[in-house]
Amino acid sequence: MAVPFLNSRNRLHHSMAWPGAVVSLESELEQPHIRISLPGRAASISSAIYGGGFVHLDHIVNRYVDKHYDCSDPVNDMTNFMAAYGYPGESSAGLMTAVKLKYTSIREERSEQASILCCATAGVGNAARAGSSRTTFAAYQPGTINIILMIDGMLTPGCMLNAVLTATEAKAAALHDLNVLDHETGALATGTTTDAIVLGVSGNTAYGVNHHYAGTATDLGGMIGRLVYESVTESIISEREDRV
């Protein structure tokens, strides 16, 4: 099921995959952002600039910043932002994106073994191919493809990492099929120079399955791959069409 915020009056989405989870588009604020609020804390692994690593989360924020954003201390900047909007410091993760939030895409799917909510903002202005020689930077830049993947179910720590791997492969597949190129080398891109991901897992025992694997040959991995592929694709296409 696709639930895009694109050019829509709908600014609030109650998840069908994760009961009690709410996604909102906070577009009227001084600093617009996507907010995902959970009914309880979820085990998480992420590359978020704020609240990253292995933590337990009940709020995930994807904050829009101008593409020229330049901050010598992004962690402190994000800390101040989270505090200003009242997000709990110990259980929140914060991402930054230079992609306009109207290009946010949400995809959801339920199954007998787990249910998944995927929320992505994707732009390819700085598309890059991993493994190629190219210009690199020491400074932090806001994310261009940000993926928030919320899984209602039970996953082992190893399975959580496997899920991140599958999501990354699906992102690369979407870029390949959209013929997104590395702007320096002309090769097919595998991502951008500033991608980020947050994976959250509820630990819900109702499904009766504790997943140990999330590769592409598993039911769980298949769901992850489909949702990430579709969400990243939708966000990129929507931005492209808006520029035409």
Side-chain angles (χ1 to χ4, degrees), residues 16-240:
M16 70 163 193
W18 189 313
V22 179
V23 185
S24 59
L25 176 56
E26 308 294 331
S27 59
E28 305 303 322
L29 300 177
E30 182 179 350
Q31 298 188 64
H33 56 278
I34 297 293
R35 179 185 70 200
I36 297 181
S37 302
L38 304 176
R41 293 191 181 185
S44 173
I45 179 173
S46 83
S47 59
I49 186 67
Y50 177 93
F54 289 93
V55 293
H56 285 81
L57 302 173
D58 52 22
H59 289 83
I60 304 98
V61 170
N62 192 14
R63 169 191 172 195
Y64 172 75
V65 296
D66 185 87
K67 65 180 179 179
H68 300 298
Y69 171 87
D70 182 18
C71 181
S72 59
D73 191 354
V75 175
N76 186 59
D77 181 44
M78 199 65 186
T79 299
N80 292 336
F81 167 86
M82 299 294 277
Y85 287 100
Y87 293 113
E90 74 283 358
S91 60
S92 298
L95 305 170
M96 294 182 183
T97 180
V99 178
K100 291 181 180 179
L101 298 180
K102 68 178 181 177
Y103 302 127
T104 301
S105 174
I106 297 173
R107 295 275 172 160
E108 298 196 271
E109 187 173 335
R110 293 184 59 86
S111 80
E112 294 181 354
Q113 297 185 343
S115 298
I116 303 177
L117 161 69
C118 179
C119 179
T121 51
V124 292
N126 57 341
R129 183 179 180 87
S132 299
S133 296
R134 66 177 343 275
T135 304
T136 57
F137 306 91
Y140 174 81
Q141 292 181 311
T144 302
I145 299 179
N146 285 349
I147 297 169
I148 302 171
L149 191 63
M150 310 304 296
I151 302 178
D152 184 38
M154 291 191 295
L155 278 67
T156 65
C159 186
M160 291 174 68
L161 287 172
N162 202 178
V164 171
L165 176 62
T166 298
T168 303
E169 291 176 354
K171 174 191 69 177
L175 298 183
H176 178 278
D177 290 351
L178 291 171
N179 197 37
V180 177
L181 305 179
D182 183 314
H183 298 294
E184 287 194 12
T185 68
L188 285 167
T190 55
T192 81
T193 58
T194 55
D195 293 348
I197 187 169
V198 176
L199 170 68
V201 178
S202 70
N204 186 356
T205 62
Y207 296 92
V209 179
N210 188 18
H211 295 275
H212 289 73
Y213 309 103
T216 51
T218 66
D219 291 339
L220 178 63
M223 290 173 63
I224 292 169
R226 284 192 299 275
L227 295 176
V228 171
Y229 179 93
E230 292 168 359
S231 190
V232 169
T233 296
E234 180 178 52
S235 186
I236 292 173
I237 289 177
S238 297
E239 185 193 27
R240 282 181 174 179

